Amino acid sequence: MDIHEYQAKEILSRFGVAVPQGGLAYSPEQAAYRARDIGGSKWIVKAQIHSGGRGKAGGVKLCSSEHQVEEEADELFGKRLVTHQTGPQGKTVYRVYVEGAVAIKREIYLGLVLDRKSERVMVVASSAGGMEIEEIAQREPNSIIRSVVEPAVGMPAFQAREIAFGLGLEPALTQQAVNTILGCYKAFEELDATMVEINPLVVTEDNRLIALDAKMTFDDNALFRLPHIAELRDKSQEDPRETRANDRGLSYVGLDGSIGCIVNGAGLAMATMDMIKAAGGEPANFLDIGGGATPERVAKAFRLVTSDQNVRAILVNIFAGINRCDWVAEGIVMALQKTPLNMPVVVRLAGTHVEEGRKILARSGLPIIRAGTLAEAASRAVAAWRNDSLTKVAS
């Protein structure tokens, strides 16, 4: 789960990370009030969306008067920002964050990520801040510092000091850097985060170390024990298809193709999408119904996939171990009887109670295309999608 910049800053500040004074606004008038409350002569108005690259997309504005703050906020509200992370559809701005501007002397990159290869928390830092870490790795690879945290020990102060020394900070700033790094690690560990990123972490003209931007991502599977973090979720920033699936306990990722996939198991889902591509089609989604799928759960998956207007055919690929093919077949029949579809449905069943599942499909009398292997199922799904598309165009 991602959260907004202002939420990440509120969290990190509680762990001792210095952040600029700022305030959230839901209207242009409120933005001007926030600027007045902060004081000073210059402010930054930032669009709050779940994406990096907001500045390049026109989502970060420097203002030198309260009136300008109000005008820039008015321009941002309701605007759809398109960045390299949002895709062409962009994300709509519903709130802005107003901060007092700071005089910057130097920019640094600091990030903590869950490195799945080493199964450790890794600190990634660079003296070249203000760019995406991918750009830093390409332009200045020698500037990147990597430091793995030993989980049995946690992060000791000396490890944070080594990182600070590697960044070439002045001695007067070393303790501030140590406090910042340790604060980020404590937030990461205590709140089940999978990423904490401060970019840029700036050195100001008056020699303070401040987090000018912040991002945090959390492990969805741990949110049940962190209700105060779960409450920070902003569904307006998520793909509505994925939100709908998440609320129903389904693993779903929306894609841009035309063939909807209903599969059990993440590995099988990936293989199914690959086979659709190999057969000349494009998958419309990744959907894993999981183990022990009941007929009701399968029916929910059908409703979710068909809610995507781009879907023109459906491929159901089940290899039942924990699952049962007869349950899946009952769910398919239940879904198609309740809501008849004007698109081809291809079903491939294998594994536990497969014969019972095939009999249920055959007895239903529904126009279901059956397949014996994954390759056959993918080929038939792509062929059915093409034939159906041609028929509709001709009619």
Side-chain angles (χ1 to χ4, degrees):
M1 183 188 81
D2 295 324
I3 60 175
H4 289 292
E5 171 197 356
Y6 76 92
Q7 294 168 327
K9 285 180 173 176
E10 287 175 1
I11 291 171
L12 293 177
S13 66
R14 294 199 291 269
F15 286 86
V17 177
V19 300
Q21 186 179 357
L24 187 66
Y26 291 93
S27 69
E29 295 78 14
Q30 194 175 21
Y33 173 80
R34 295 299 186 199
R36 193 177 311 121
D37 192 44
I38 293 167
S41 59
K42 291 188 184 228
W43 303 269
I44 307 292
V45 179
K46 298 182 176 182
Q48 295 300 287
I49 61 170
H50 290 174
S51 174
R54 291 170 299 163
K56 294 178 182 177
V60 178
K61 304 290 186 179
L62 175 64
C63 305
S64 54
S65 71
E66 293 174 18
H67 178 67
Q68 188 180 2
V69 168
E70 185 171 348
E71 284 187 333
E72 294 292 2
D74 189 40
E75 284 288 322
L76 288 174
F77 280 114
K79 183 177 182 179
R80 189 173 291 273
L81 290 184
V82 178
T83 75
H84 66 285
Q85 292 183 4
T86 64
Q89 72 278 6
K91 289 188 176 180
T92 305
V93 180
Y94 295 106
R95 60 189 91 178
V96 300
Y97 191 54
V98 182
E99 280 184 338
V102 297
I104 300 171
K105 183 163 66 174
R106 184 183 169 193
E107 296 183 341
I108 296 165
Y109 176 92
L110 175 64
L112 287 82
V113 294
L114 184 60
D115 180 32
R116 301 188 185 278
K117 184 177 180 180
S118 64
E119 299 181 349
R120 300 286 190 273
V121 176
M122 179 179 287
V123 182
V124 181
S126 173
S127 55
M131 298 184 288
E132 299 291 334
I133 188 62
E134 295 84 3
E135 292 181 51
I136 296 172
Q138 186 175 10
R139 294 186 191 178
E140 301 186 44
N142 295 330
S143 73
I144 296 179
I145 299 166
R146 295 178 177 85
S147 182
V148 176
V149 180
E150 174 55 51
V153 178
M155 177 174 279
F158 78 81
Q159 187 175 4
R161 276 195 295 274
E162 286 179 347
I163 297 169
F165 294 152
L167 292 171
L169 292 169
E170 300 172 21
L173 291 168
T174 300
Q175 191 55 48
Q176 292 184 52
V178 169
N179 293 340
T180 299
I181 296 168
L182 291 178
C184 288
Y185 176 74
K186 287 176 184 175
F188 189 104
E189 181 186 38
E190 292 182 20
L191 301 178
D192 289 304
T194 55
M195 183 193 75
V196 174
E197 183 182 69
I198 299 177
N199 186 28
L201 175 65
V202 301
V203 178
T204 65
E205 292 291 351
D206 56 356
N207 253 23
R208 291 181 298 148
L209 206 60
I210 294 179
L212 210 59
D213 193 5
K215 294 188 187 115
M216 291 188 75
T217 302
F218 300 90
D219 184 349
D220 293 349
N221 296 315
L223 292 178
F224 73 94
R225 62 188 180 200
L226 296 165
H228 63 295
I229 298 298
E231 289 172 359
L232 302 178
R233 182 182 178 192
D234 182 0
K235 292 184 180 180
S236 72
Q237 296 297 304
E238 300 174 2
D239 185 321
R241 300 170 298 176
E242 295 178 15
T243 301
R244 183 180 173 86
N246 184 269
D247 292 342
R248 287 156 181 77
L250 298 169
S251 298
Y252 180 97
V253 178
L255 301 171
D256 299 326
S258 301
I259 300 177
C261 305
I262 299 176
V263 190
N264 68 312
L268 186 60
M270 297 295 287
T272 302
M273 292 191 295
D274 286 345
M275 291 301 289
I276 289 172
K277 291 277 288 184
E282 291 290 339
N285 64 269
F286 167 103
L287 174 58
D288 174 11
I289 60 174
T294 61
E296 292 76 16
R297 188 178 179 86
V298 175
K300 284 180 183 178
F302 258 89
R303 288 195 293 272
L304 176 64
V305 170
T306 55
S307 67
D308 183 351
Q309 295 182 353
N310 293 326
V311 171
R312 294 290 178 266
I314 296 177
L315 170 56
V316 182
N317 183 27
I318 301 297
F319 191 91
I322 300 172
N323 268 321
R324 288 175 45 169
C325 289
D326 53 342
W327 286 354
V328 173
E330 287 175 13
I332 295 170
V333 172
M334 181 190 303
L336 296 181
Q337 286 178 341
K338 186 174 181 180
T339 310
L341 301 179
N342 60 345
M343 66 180 73
V345 176
V346 179
V347 179
R348 178 254 183 164
L349 300 176
T352 307
H353 291 201
V354 63
E355 292 304 325
E356 291 88 336
R358 289 172 179 170
K359 288 176 183 177
I360 290 170
L361 295 179
R363 287 198 301 265
S364 71
L366 294 167
I368 296 171
I369 303 169
R370 282 171 283 171
T373 66
L374 173 52
E376 182 186 4
S379 296
R380 289 190 174 184
V382 173
W385 158 64
R386 284 176 174 157
N387 290 339
D388 189 64
S389 299
L390 289 171
T391 301
K392 288 178 179 177
V393 169
S395 62

